[in-house]
Amino acid sequence: MSQLPATIVELRSVTKRFGDPSRPPVLDNLALSIAPGEFVSLIGASGCGKSTLLRLLSGLSEPTSGQVLISAHPATTTPTERAFIFQDAALLPWRTVRQNAATLLQLRHTPAAERDRRVSELLSLARIAPLADRYPRQLSGGEKMRVSLARALALEPQLLLLDEPFGALDELTREHLNEELLALRERQRWTAVFVTHSVAEAVFLSTRIVILAAGRIAHDLPVDLPFPRTAETRESPAFLHRVAEISRLLRTAAQSGSSRGNEAVRAQPPA
Amino acid sequence: MTRRALPFLLPVLTGLLLIAAWYVVRFWILPVDHRFLLPAPHAVLNAFAERGPQLWAATLSTATGAFLGFFAATVLSIVFALTLSLSPLVRAGLYPWLMALQLTPIIIFAPILILWVGPGLKSVIIITFLISFFPLVVNTTQGLVSTDRLLVDLFRMGRASRFQQLFLLRVPAALPYFFTGLRIAATLAPIGAIAGDAYAGNSAGGQGGLGFLSLIYSAQFQIPALFATALVSCLLGFLFAGAVVWLSWTVLHRWHDSYQQKDS
């Protein structure tokens, strides 16, 4: 195995404000490092800054102050291959499943033969090969999200950024996709930063959970359940115990966050 | 079988009923001294037979004007919409003047135009252009600037060039809007050509289009021939609208929600 760098994501006193400087920042002097191979979930009440953090990592926005480094380069210019998976599948409706999955490679001008090879591989890994010639409107929500996953993973990214990708799906589909996401990770070994509202989902997927409250890290917790994790993992006492514990920490973190006067947290109490 | 045939049979049926009603009005309801105002359907068909070559030449002339004006409007509207989609400032600067162009009634503008370029096909084309241009530009521009934010983010994340973002994302996303504009323009183009022709059809060669012909028939009190002219104009409109509906279906039916199949 090749020598991996110590960190792939490095946040140094990152602050992000939107608009009025008198209001509390969305991210407040945040420090965080993520090692290659980690699966980190960001959880916290609405408005705690987790989606903002993900956008900073994607390079779509820049911090007000501090540094966001991906493999030691600023997030906006890093050569590290990243893929973003949105809450919505964000498919191009005029493209078939196969063409959608090839979109990001096409933007990179990947040669057609290589593109076809990778797309075919990912379509079968994501179990949507039989749907290759369908259009998005002919797909279910879960199938659309599989296409979205295949499109992202066809890039062979080193860093995968996921913004509540399964939030809109039914429970059963969500659990299936969680299991398959882990199976894909066994093959490709990307690092993941995952935003979710579901503690159970976070515990199931992650090697580490970061609870954000009012733009700061309230807790940074390892999840040491053994891999591979399967449907049975969800019934194990260790899993259930961890979910209960983290739910409790999330609740207290959100409360102390709102008592600090963060507008966004107060506006929407945690579910 | 019957269910599938129904959408085609029903319009034919209503058409037959309308013709029957037409005969009833013509021969039983109208007082005798007014019957000349509403020629019977077979009289209109007779006018067709008698005026055939004249009507055909006029239709060809109008269709040419309508098509060229419509085509020019389509091509130029795409260029214009791409320019307008560049920035809100460009839109702010140009939109009011586009509106002004649209709000000036074509009937007022036509005589000025004829003074400038003279009567004949050229004027007809320009008038058709003017009437079709606006809905095309407005709809296409709207489409180009309404691209889903998430998809734009996806392309930005994917480090798409401006060129890729335009041709792989904004343009295909704008197609449904473009076709909405195209349908409106296709119904307006023959009307514009005929209205323009009523003013500008009196070309040097003396061969006008349908608009000009209707003026002549009206002056000569040839009422069945006037009805025949109306019918041909209507058919020309159907031809334009039908062509665009077909084109739109060809491009969009596979993926766009407006053509959703019932079984999926």
Side-chain angles (χ1 to χ4, degrees):
Chain A
M1 196 170 181
S2 64
Q3 191 62 45
L4 292 169
T7 68
I8 181 164
V9 171
E10 177 87 45
L11 273 71
R12 294 185 185 153
S13 26
V14 167
T15 297
K16 178 73 178 177
R17 280 176 200 283
F18 294 107
D20 190 356
S22 68
R23 286 183 50 194
V26 179
L27 294 175
D28 189 1
N29 202 21
L30 209 77
L32 178 69
S33 20
I34 296 173
E38 282 194 284
F39 195 120
V40 180
S41 283
L42 303 174
I43 58 175
S46 295
C48 70
K50 51 195 192 302
S51 290
T52 306
L53 179 52
L54 213 57
R55 279 181 76 85
L56 288 177
L57 294 178
S58 76
L60 281 178
S61 72
E62 290 185 74
T64 311
S65 64
Q67 281 180 299
V68 179
L69 301 176
I70 311 285
S71 308
H73 295 275
T76 45
T77 57
T78 183
T80 301
E81 199 68 270
R82 283 161 298 178
F84 203 106
I85 295 176
F86 303 93
Q87 185 166 16
D88 186 284
L91 303 178
L92 307 180
W94 55 88
R95 291 187 158 216
T96 62
V97 165
R98 175 179 294 279
Q99 291 166 339
N100 262 294
T103 305
L104 295 176
L105 291 173
Q106 191 185 357
L107 297 181
R108 296 279 195 282
H109 300 290
T110 309
E114 167 75 359
R115 200 195 300 163
D116 288 349
R117 188 190 63 73
R118 286 210 223 167
V119 167
S120 296
E121 186 192 346
L122 257 307
L123 289 184
S124 44
L125 283 178
R127 301 178 191 217
I128 44 177
L131 308 177
D133 296 321
R134 295 234 190 141
Y135 286 85
R137 70 165 185 201
Q138 301 167 295
L139 305 177
S140 70
E143 288 165 345
K144 283 182 194 166
M145 201 39 85
R146 285 168 194 269
V147 181
S148 196
L149 267 174
R151 176 178 64 192
L153 296 179
L155 270 185
E156 297 179 357
Q158 288 154 275
L159 180 61
L160 193 59
L161 306 168
L162 306 101
D163 190 2
E164 288 186 62
F166 310 131
L169 303 177
D170 64 87
E171 189 70 18
L172 201 62
T173 310
R174 173 190 267 227
E175 289 184 357
H176 271 302
L177 283 173
N178 281 343
E179 287 151 29
E180 285 175 27
L181 186 64
L182 287 186
L184 287 165
R185 181 167 169 269
E186 291 294 319
R187 297 181 63 106
Q188 284 197 324
R189 285 284 151 208
W190 20 262
T191 307
V193 182
F194 187 92
V195 164
T196 180
H197 274 114
S198 159
V199 173
E201 184 176 56
V203 172
F204 183 77
L205 291 171
S206 313
T207 60
R208 180 177 164 197
I209 292 177
V210 171
I211 300 179
L212 290 175
R216 295 186 179 184
I217 293 176
H219 299 279
D220 190 339
L221 311 147
V223 181
D224 38 23
L225 300 168
F227 286 93
R229 296 177 189 167
T230 59
E232 287 84 64
T233 307
R234 289 198 189 87
E235 291 156 20
S236 73
F239 174 82
L240 296 170
H241 176 75
R242 203 74 179 127
V243 171
E245 183 190 352
I246 289 173
S247 297
R248 194 167 55 243
L249 289 172
L250 178 62
R251 227 171 4 251
T252 49
Q255 277 157 10
S256 67
S258 64
S259 69
R260 270 184 65 232
N262 185 307
E263 288 291 328
V265 172
R266 203 190 302 143
Q268 233 176 336
Chain B
M1 167 62 207
T2 329
R3 287 193 77 84
R4 282 175 65 88
L6 222 51
F8 302 99
L9 283 177
L10 277 178
V12 174
L13 198 68
T14 40
L16 289 174
L17 281 174
L18 280 172
I19 290 173
W22 186 346
Y23 272 111
V24 168
V25 172
R26 171 70 170 75
F27 288 106
W28 278 287
I29 296 181
L30 276 182
V32 177
D33 55 344
H34 278 82
R35 281 184 188 163
F36 72 99
L37 289 174
L38 184 69
H42 61 263
V44 175
L45 288 182
N46 267 341
F48 258 117
E50 284 166 25
R51 310 279 172 199
Q54 199 175 22
L55 276 167
W56 176 245
T59 306
L60 221 55
S61 161
T62 297
T64 308
F67 178 75
L68 291 178
F70 175 66
F71 187 73
T74 306
V75 172
L76 265 159
S77 73
I78 292 170
V79 176
F80 225 78
L82 286 172
T83 314
L84 284 171
S85 73
L86 289 178
S87 90
L89 286 178
V90 179
R91 284 197 287 289
L94 292 176
Y95 239 85
W97 300 107
L98 267 177
M99 282 292 286
L101 192 66
Q102 177 67 10
L103 291 173
T104 311
I106 213 75
I107 285 180
I108 311 279
F109 201 65
I112 303 174
L113 200 72
I114 291 161
L115 287 177
W116 287 350
V117 302
L121 193 60
K122 229 187 297 179
S123 289
V124 175
I125 293 172
I126 296 175
I127 289 166
T128 309
F129 172 88
L130 287 174
I131 211 167
S132 329
F133 187 62
F134 186 75
L136 277 164
V137 172
V138 170
N139 279 287
T140 310
T141 308
Q142 188 66 31
L144 286 170
V145 301
S146 309
T147 319
D148 188 342
R149 283 293 312 164
L150 212 53
L151 296 180
V152 174
D153 274 354
L154 176 80
F155 270 59
R156 283 178 59 204
M157 266 294 307
R159 297 177 196 162
S161 63
R162 273 188 78 93
F163 184 83
Q164 288 174 326
Q165 201 180 104
L166 184 64
F167 287 102
L168 295 180
L169 179 59
R170 288 190 189 277
V171 167
L175 280 176
Y177 293 82
F178 167 73
F179 277 110
T180 302
L182 205 63
R183 281 182 201 209
I184 300 171
T187 55
L188 289 176
I191 295 173
I194 289 166
D197 186 66
Y199 280 89
N202 186 15
S203 66
Q207 183 56 68
L210 291 169
F212 189 61
L213 202 56
S214 78
L215 287 184
I216 293 174
Y217 289 155
S218 164
Q220 296 174 349
F221 231 65
Q222 300 192 37
I223 295 175
L226 262 180
F227 270 77
T229 314
L231 198 61
V232 178
S233 308
C234 171
L235 289 175
L236 186 64
F238 262 109
L239 193 69
F240 267 73
V244 167
V245 165
W246 173 80
L247 193 66
S248 166
W249 182 86
T250 306
V251 175
L252 300 179
H253 80 278
R254 257 185 282 271
W255 62 270
H256 197 250
D257 284 339
S258 58
Y259 296 97
Q260 187 79 296
Q261 315 102 305
K262 286 182 192 80
D263 59 353
S264 71

